[in-house]
Amino acid sequence: MAEIQSGGAQSPLPPQPQLLQLEPIDVAEPWQHELVECFISFSTLSAGKSQTELHETLQRKASESMHSHGELVNGLVYGILTVPAEGNTYLRHLNIVSRDGFAHAISRLKLLATAHRFARVRPEVRSQLFWLLSELVKVSAHGVDQVVLALTRQVRSGDVTQGNVKLCWLMVRFAQANYAWLSTFPVLVATTVYMLGRVALDHSRIPDLRAAECELAVQLLRERFHECCMIGRDLVRMLQDVARIPEFHDLWQDILQQPQSLSPLFAGIEQLLRTPTPPMFLANRITYEMETRLRFILENLLATSYSRNLMWFVQRYLSTPESESLFSDLIRYIIGVFHPSNAVLASNVVPRYVFLGGLLRFIRSPVVAANAKLALFYDWLFYDPKSDTIMNIEPGVLIIAQSVDKYTFMTASFIEFLAYESDAYSPELAPAIRGSIGLAMQDAVEKGVIPSIMPIYEHPRIEVDIRQNLYYLFPQLVPPAPEPAQSEASTDDAEPAKDDDAMLLDSTDMLPPVAVDSESAPEPPKPAVELSLPIAAPQPIRTVSATPKMSIALDPVSRMFQEEFGIVDTELAPEIPTDADNTNGISDTTAKGSALEDAALVASAEPLPEISVEQALEDKSLWLFGSTLQTFVDSVAASEPDVKQIGRSVKEIVDMFAQSEASISAITRVLASIFSDSLDMEDAETNAELAAAGESSDGLEHDLLHYILTAAADYAHTTDMTNSTRRVLQLLVQLTEAKVDVGFRWLLHSVVNAGKPALYARYVDQYAEGTLQAALVRDLGVLQEQFPGLFYTVLPQIYAA
């Protein structure tokens, strides 16, 4: 048996964990010490025993109690990770003692994968971690995908140190070796693609690694494009950055020119641009350590004292030339993931827009600055109140409005950038983009983010051309700007010979062409005064007989930096027309808009029409789920359904729904149709919740609703009412409206089984006219009618709660 490093029986100090490379002053976390102690116990237990005797001893000890079982698993996992020479032996022992399908072992691995100090994990431990995950994949252990998801976050963007490069190699080789397994997890597929695309930019000087990353990403995109579409508009932003890499070039052209060659349900790039990116993908590019430090600043520090911490953060993570790509990822995280609570918004804690303004001042490269601006205003270009949240718009609105007095040049630069991008990002979509930008600002004014943009428009430091841009973008919110010739401008400004583009831009000779195809190049925009149209909702994906040329600018260019770099010409491509349904997105709270959000969460009083499962699956708003829903329905309808697989599928569907902007009514129709159709599934009355009250649980394995409630409980247990929690609770409410017996089941699950009445109260809060008393009367009445014996059994527990 291998000896334990840095500790032994003769040492007066407890042995130090060998998972991380720690300094003498560093303190290991308690769970690491627990692993070491369990490994010492296992070594003592196995000393001097033959293989047969050891197997009998391990079997006996593992069967004593779950605590003994956990100690053995802890010791064996630690041995596998830290003693590679004995890895196979310890894995055989782990197979013998495991009583929970490796669930406890995977939970220990997840602690390591989510560790804040993962960058200091020993190289041999990292290698053994991926080897163990591959072995667990071979035995179909449940939960390995969650560990791999956590590991993708530990691959740091903008970091070309040896440790991070080695981690990239390990991730790529693991994905290649387990490609078939990886392809069965849509969320993991999409996350892997997004991670590979972002880090490939950093590896231009490591050609072998970049080639492997690009090859794997392109393969996943081509074979699993439908699953990758759940990334939304940030998939386009990622592909823009890598489109010039040869491996991605053909794929980018297919997306523009032949979208249906990638997926029959993919109607074109506009469909992606209209889909907001779920927060889990934006958070993936920020490590757990970065996230903790960012949140500490944004949740605890005052606006007058955050600068020191910001400077420390920049010096630690953004001080190298390679790390400049991380600026965009940080901005997207702050915009799309970190949405402060009302308590933080009402306090003196540093606002997001102040932090972003300070962060932008550390950018040195004009290219990085332009990319950072695009990251800041990306959601403006395709804003739709029905699917986007005002919290993604708020920082941009405030940084424009609040900078006008002290940093007028920043306000002018941002307005110029929006005006330019409204026409240059995609000329074919320019009218729709301008409408979305105008709608975003109008929505911000209506919801009280700012009272008006007139203070910006009327500010004495704002030049006439900036006012013209404001009118060009927001004609309903500001009056027309005076012509330069009518103002006290210079003779050059008053020249009547300026062309139309000069109404929007300072100088046309500073702007490189966007497209090379002269025959299909868009006409120059008309003067801003002639473009004053009412701000309308963003245009849906168009249905037309012809297929117009489509182009997306590969570089976001601001006039502020036009003299220093240019745009590489993009090829034009046809757009495949289709129809698009609006999704029922849930907005996060704003400083003064919580009442509007609460109103959006009210469940619809109109019952959903009864339709078949096949009809429900035809809803176009469910395209983000790919083949997951159809596979789930097929598994439920099988003559001998795989119960465990059904449970995993339900968990996956609820996770995808909670983290995306998929239509709540559409997914409700699918689930309600499954309950109403004759799919040879038992009714919803036999389940684990009833078993907790003394009833028989023979029907547990055939109870579909039990899996839905269990998956929903994972989100309802959270302390904060997040967007995902709201969506899941509203799904339960709409299932109730669809006459699925959710109410009394959720009451039993939350109060009787989990002992947490707050979960039931949260569910009741989603009703428009519901009160806790009325809901209890209704659900207890249904329970008494269907299960009178159970009703009198659980009634004391419910009232005691």
Side-chain angles (χ1 to χ4, degrees), residues 393-644:
I393 304 301
E394 179 229 37
V397 173
L398 291 178
I399 201 171
I400 289 175
Q402 301 296 336
S403 301
V404 68
D405 288 326
K406 194 173 181 180
Y407 305 103
T408 310
F409 72 94
M410 289 186 66
T411 296
S413 174
F414 293 143
I415 295 172
E416 286 181 329
F417 180 82
L418 282 172
Y420 179 78
E421 286 300 310
S422 66
D423 290 323
Y425 186 79
S426 177
E428 295 77 13
L429 301 177
I433 292 175
R434 284 196 300 273
S436 295
I437 294 174
L439 186 60
M441 182 63 79
Q442 183 171 327
D443 201 29
V445 172
E446 291 176 353
K447 293 182 177 178
V449 177
I450 57 173
S452 170
I453 65 170
M454 286 305 295
I456 306 173
Y457 184 82
E458 296 174 346
H459 198 279
R461 294 183 183 177
I462 294 296
E463 301 292 340
V464 173
D465 59 335
I466 302 301
R467 293 177 185 173
Q468 290 175 343
N469 288 337
L470 283 170
Y471 180 70
Y472 182 68
L473 295 171
F474 317 118
Q476 282 188 344
L477 301 176
V478 297
E483 295 292 336
Q486 300 173 359
S487 64
E488 298 178 1
S490 64
T491 306
D492 295 336
D493 292 335
E495 282 185 341
K498 272 202 167 186
D499 60 13
D500 292 338
D501 281 349
M503 299 295 295
L504 178 62
L505 304 174
D506 292 334
S507 174
T508 53
D509 58 0
M510 295 171 64
L511 287 172
V514 173
V516 296
D517 192 343
S518 59
E519 298 180 357
S520 59
E523 297 181 0
K526 296 180 180 179
V529 174
E530 299 181 18
L531 284 169
S532 58
L533 300 174
I535 299 179
Q539 299 180 2
I541 301 172
R542 298 179 296 279
T543 303
V544 292
S545 56
T547 56
K549 296 284 186 177
M550 174 63 73
S551 63
I552 298 290
L554 293 184
D555 288 302
V557 181
S558 168
R559 285 198 306 283
M560 185 174 178
F561 306 114
Q562 286 164 3
E563 292 181 335
E564 302 191 35
F565 71 107
I567 302 179
V568 174
D569 297 330
T570 59
E571 298 183 24
L572 304 180
E575 173 189 354
I576 302 298
T578 186
D579 295 320
D581 295 333
N582 291 328
T583 58
N584 298 331
I586 305 297
S587 297
D588 288 88
T589 57
T590 64
K592 301 181 180 178
S594 59
L596 293 173
E597 181 183 80
D598 292 340
L601 292 174
V602 174
S604 173
E606 298 181 2
L608 296 172
E610 294 186 4
I611 58 177
S612 66
V613 177
E614 290 73 18
Q615 291 174 316
L617 288 173
E618 293 176 358
D619 193 304
K620 289 185 174 62
S621 66
L622 300 179
W623 66 284
L624 284 174
F625 288 86
S627 60
T628 304
L629 285 174
Q630 184 62 60
T631 303
F632 168 64
V633 172
D634 294 341
S635 63
V636 171
S639 57
E640 296 182 359
D642 184 342
V643 179
K644 293 183 179 179

Side-chain angles (χ1 to χ4, degrees), residues 5 9 104 108 134 204 213 285 304 318 325 384 395 414 478 506 508-509 522 529 536 615 701 715 718 738 743 761:
Q5 301 176 10
H104 186 76
R108 302 302 94 183
S134 295
S204 58
E213 291 168 339
R285 292 296 76 232
T304 57
L318 300 165
S325 62
D384 184 350
F414 293 143
V478 297
D506 292 334
T508 53
D509 58 0
V529 174
Q615 291 174 316
E701 292 188 346
Y715 290 91
T718 58

Side-chain angles (χ1 to χ4, degrees), residues 26 697 733 749:
D26 292 328
S697 59
V733 170
H749 184 95

Side-chain angles (χ1 to χ4, degrees), residues 685-698 787-791 793-794:
E685 53 262 28
T686 53
N687 54 75
E689 292 82 60
L690 306 189
E695 293 286 315
S696 171
S697 59
D698 294 340
F787 302 97
L790 177 64
F791 169 78
T793 302
V794 302

